[in-house]
Amino acid sequence: SEESRSGYPEPSDKEVFILHVNSQNIEFILSSHGLGATDLYPIHFSYELVSMSPSSLPNMSRESLLNILKDAINIFKYNGIRDLEENEKTLIEFDF
């Protein structure tokens, strides 16, 4: 959520993902956008990278970290690894 003028949190299209890689937390802030459903994939959305901190690790490039994030999200899908039925209907795209 984001702070509004009223001071109360408001819904946002941004999501925070924290990956623990090589003994360090990497914080990714992504925005998600729903995309048109198809017969095969009624759940279809795209993620766009808003920020990433830190942007790299001593032995890992930014690209490597983004690939780890993409793999993790593709496994998690829509409602987590255990929701196999919904995950089969989910298509995720990345704009980064």
Side-chain angles (χ1 to χ4, degrees):
S1 63
E2 294 182 353
E3 291 296 320
S4 68
R5 287 185 229 172
S6 67
Y8 293 102
E10 293 289 332
S12 167
D13 68 341
K14 293 178 182 60
E15 298 181 46
V16 176
F17 291 87
I18 298 173
L19 292 182
H20 189 74
V21 180
N22 292 346
S23 301
Q24 187 166 347
N25 287 337
I26 311 296
E27 182 179 286
F28 300 90
I29 297 178
L30 306 176
S31 67
S32 61
H33 308 283
L35 299 174
T38 67
D39 290 339
L40 188 56
Y41 296 109
I43 302 169
H44 183 195
F45 56 97
S46 173
Y47 282 111
E48 182 179 326
L49 182 65
V50 175
S51 68
M52 171 181 173
S53 178
S55 60
S56 63
L57 295 178
N59 296 323
M60 291 192 100
S61 67
R62 180 179 192 272
E63 183 179 336
S64 294
L65 291 170
L66 289 174
N67 285 333
I68 292 169
L69 176 67
K70 288 176 185 179
D71 289 344
I73 291 173
N74 273 317
I75 290 168
F76 185 83
K77 293 279 186 177
Y78 183 66
N79 276 333
I81 196 168
R82 291 185 178 88
D83 195 347
L84 299 177
E85 187 177 316
E86 291 297 312
N87 286 346
E88 287 180 10
K89 303 176 198 172
T90 303
L91 177 62
I92 300 172
E93 295 181 22
F94 301 97
D95 189 17
F96 55 88

